Amino acid sequence: MWGALLRRGVRGGGGLRCLSSGGPPWSQVVSEAEKIVGYPTSFMSLRCLLSDELSNIAMQVRKLVGTKHPLLDTARGFVYDSRNNLQMRGLVVLLISKAAGPSTAELSFQHDMVSGIYSSQRSLAEITELIHTAFLVHRGIVNIGELKSCDGPLKDMQFGNKMAVLSGDFLLANACTSLAQLQNTKVVELISSAIGDLVQGIYYENSKSSELHSDLQPFVKETSSDTMAFSLNSAPAILHQEFRGREAWLKQIREAQGKGNIVDYKKLQEAIKAGKGVTSAIDLCRCHGNRALAALERFPPSEARDALANIVCAVTRFP
């Protein structure tokens, strides 16, 4: 799939005009974008996360301390993320809302706007974040059959899975309720069909650039001797498999397995870096970024459009 997207993207797009080794750091790009939409969005869904129901779930999740259940890392990520990319999807929705601007017929209703953004648009940004947060929580469900003794007591890991299902479902239920309260069938259809037309060109392509950028960090970021964790379902790994072939990739995985079938990820990381998976993932990331920039040109010039372009450039720039 990734390979097909890459081949189609390379044929259809040129290079990003903003790609360079320079440019403002990621934290500055986000900070400037948040000023444009009127307030920091780092804790956009905090209102829901601090609800009595979810606070009770959070108390239950504390029982997982001392285990390696991924729900703990997900919960910590709601408060702090070293990559400074919390609530980015909601921020992009707000920037698109401001870049599009109100129509002439809507100018008389600007009392409902703050920093050029309607309250309903801010609600939509929160809903977008709730849906993504629910996805992150549900993704924390572990395969009980693959657990090791060092991961934690089996009963605690099973409890963690129940909490992941319960809290993820709770967030989705809140998102659906808030979506219904917007009383806008077009918005409901838009979310249900996974973002369409103009928004798809910017939101979807920028989201793909952001995901690819995250996937690439273990392979391009200069770190200490420790190996950054990465998923075997990340873009570099999948593209590496497509270039090498499934059997050759499975052989590399077997060769990286030690006692107890524990995988030496550093060895796999070096194998992927030595192939074409990393450079191809970078090309694919820049391809999505190029499409996002092309979609942005359909908006009139504004500081919101510039902020969206800066976000695209930031996630398509690699050392």
Side-chain angles (χ1 to χ4, degrees), residues 2-24:
W2 286 108
L5 283 172
L6 177 62
R7 289 188 290 272
R8 186 167 66 245
V10 168
R11 285 196 299 267
L16 273 175
R17 290 158 296 176
C18 63
L19 286 179
S20 66
S21 58

Side-chain angles (χ1 to χ4, degrees), residues 210-257:
S210 180
E211 290 172 14
L212 284 162
H213 186 271
S214 297
D215 283 354
L216 279 160
Q217 291 312 296
F219 303 93
V220 300
K221 190 173 183 179
E222 296 181 2
T223 60
S224 61
S225 57
D226 296 333
T227 302
M228 290 181 67
F230 68 94
S231 170
L232 295 181
N233 291 322
S234 64
I238 293 175
L239 286 167
H240 176 76
Q241 175 183 319
E242 289 197 15
F243 282 111
R244 291 280 298 177
R246 179 172 174 79
E247 291 303 317
W249 172 232
L250 291 176
K251 181 180 178 182
Q252 287 183 324
I253 294 177
R254 288 193 294 268
E255 291 174 348
Q257 288 178 329

Side-chain angles (χ1 to χ4, degrees), residues 35-235:
K35 291 177 182 177
I36 292 171
V37 299
Y39 70 106
T41 59
S42 300
F43 300 101
M44 186 179 296
S45 54
L46 195 61
R47 180 174 56 185
C48 175
L49 294 177
L50 292 183
S51 65
D52 290 340
E53 295 89 348
L54 205 60
S55 293
N56 182 52
I57 293 175
M59 292 293 292
Q60 299 297 321
V61 171
R62 290 180 61 186
K63 297 178 181 179
L64 297 177
V65 174
T67 73
K68 293 184 179 179
H69 199 286
L71 186 57
L72 277 174
D73 288 333
T74 302
R76 280 191 288 266
F78 294 153
V79 179
Y80 173 75
D81 191 311
S82 60
R83 293 190 301 272
N84 298 304
N85 62 354
L86 283 172
Q87 312 295 326
M88 277 306 302
R89 286 156 183 80
L91 178 57
V92 169
V93 169
L94 293 177
L95 288 171
I96 293 174
S97 300
K98 185 162 185 175
S103 65
T104 304
E106 295 171 323
L107 290 177
S108 60
F109 298 97
Q110 288 192 13
H111 62 275
D112 189 34
M113 301 177 72
V114 177
S115 297
I117 302 171
Y118 289 107
S119 60
S120 58
Q121 293 170 327
R122 294 186 184 277
S123 296
L124 180 59
E126 291 183 7
I127 292 168
T128 304
E129 284 300 339
L130 282 180
I131 293 173
H132 177 64
T133 301
F135 161 74
L136 293 179
V137 171
H138 278 158
R139 194 174 62 177
I141 299 173
V142 298
N143 187 341
I144 298 296
E146 296 180 356
L147 294 177
K148 307 178 184 64
S149 58
C150 62
D151 292 324
L154 179 60
K155 62 180 181 64
D156 288 345
M157 301 302 283
Q158 290 173 330
F159 176 77
N161 277 359
K162 292 179 180 179
M163 286 295 98
V165 172
L166 175 62
S167 52
D169 287 352
F170 171 78
L171 291 171
L172 283 177
N174 272 269
C176 291
T177 300
S178 298
L179 195 59
Q181 290 173 347
L182 291 179
Q183 298 181 342
N184 189 318
T185 56
K186 289 185 178 180
V187 170
V188 175
E189 292 173 359
L190 185 66
I191 294 295
S192 300
S193 62
I195 314 278
D197 195 33
L198 178 60
V199 177
Q200 179 180 7
I202 304 160
Y203 181 88
Y204 175 78
E205 299 296 348
N206 189 55
S207 295
K208 285 300 179 184
S209 292
S210 180
E211 290 172 14
L212 284 162
H213 186 271
S214 297
D215 283 354
L216 279 160
Q217 291 312 296
F219 303 93
V220 300
K221 190 173 183 179
E222 296 181 2
T223 60
S224 61
S225 57
D226 296 333
T227 302
M228 290 181 67
F230 68 94
S231 170
L232 295 181
N233 291 322
S234 64

